[in-house]
């Protein structure tokens, strides 16, 4: 069994592993941030780890030609991009409101 696993471990398997670790790291980031705040928080880093991990897993799924995995990670990547877009849009609005108050 171990021999079979090591034979399948190629560049793309390593790539997929790194992507999965990035995707998993999002929960660690969220957990640490929430523990420090004493309440549940979804930090910006959560969305970046989600996006990079999901995009990496999407590439891996495409290379491995796994349609179920492609669908799941493809949709996830769109959602993570949209959340980042909403966050930055809100920050721009807040900055503009701050500037209007100062003038």
């Amino acid at each position: 069994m171990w021999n079979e696993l090591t034979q399948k471990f190629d560049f793309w398997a390593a790539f997929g592993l790194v992507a999965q670790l990035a995707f998993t790291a999002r929960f660690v980031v969220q957990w640490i941030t929430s523990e420090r705040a004493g309440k549940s928080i979804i930090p910006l880093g959560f969305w970046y780890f989600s996006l990079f991990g999901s995009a990496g897993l999407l590439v891996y799924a495409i290379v491995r030609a796994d349609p179920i995995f492609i669908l799941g990670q493809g949709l996830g990547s769109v959602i993570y991009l949209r959340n980042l877009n909403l966050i930055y849009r809100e920050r721009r609005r807040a900055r503009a409101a701050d500037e209007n108050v100062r003038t």
Side-chain angles (χ1 to χ4, degrees), residues 10-13 15-16 19 53-75 77-78:
D10 58 4
F11 169 79
W12 288 109
F15 183 90
S54 181
L57 288 170
L58 177 60
V59 170
Y60 175 77
I62 290 168
V63 168
R64 296 295 190 201
D66 186 328
I68 305 302
F69 205 10
I70 291 168
L71 180 63
Q73 294 305 321
L75 180 60
S77 294
V78 170

Side-chain angles (χ1 to χ4, degrees), residues 43-57:
L44 188 60
F46 175 89
W47 298 113
Y48 278 111
F49 276 111
S50 296
L51 178 61
F52 294 131
S54 181
L57 288 170

Side-chain angles (χ1 to χ4, degrees), residues 7 22 30 43 45-46 55-56 63 74 91:
Q7 286 177 349
Q30 193 272 333
F46 175 89
V63 168
R91 286 183 179 187

Side-chain angles (χ1 to χ4, degrees), residues 9-92:
F9 198 80
D10 58 4
F11 169 79
W12 288 109
F15 183 90
L17 177 61
V18 169
Q20 183 60 55
L21 290 172
F23 196 68
T24 301
R26 69 196 187 129
F27 293 116
V28 175
V29 167
Q30 193 272 333
W31 176 41
I32 291 169
T33 303
S34 293
E35 286 295 329
R36 286 181 179 165
K39 62 182 180 177
S40 183
I41 295 177
I42 300 177
L44 188 60
F46 175 89
W47 298 113
Y48 278 111
F49 276 111
S50 296
L51 178 61
F52 294 131
S54 181
L57 288 170
L58 177 60
V59 170
Y60 175 77
I62 290 168
V63 168
R64 296 295 190 201
D66 186 328
I68 305 302
F69 205 10
I70 291 168
L71 180 63
Q73 294 305 321
L75 180 60
S77 294
V78 170
I79 292 167
Y80 306 137
L81 277 170
R82 179 65 177 149
N83 276 299
L84 285 167
N85 178 267
L86 291 170
I87 289 166
Y88 283 110
R89 181 187 304 168
E90 180 60 31
R91 286 183 179 187
R92 283 191 301 274

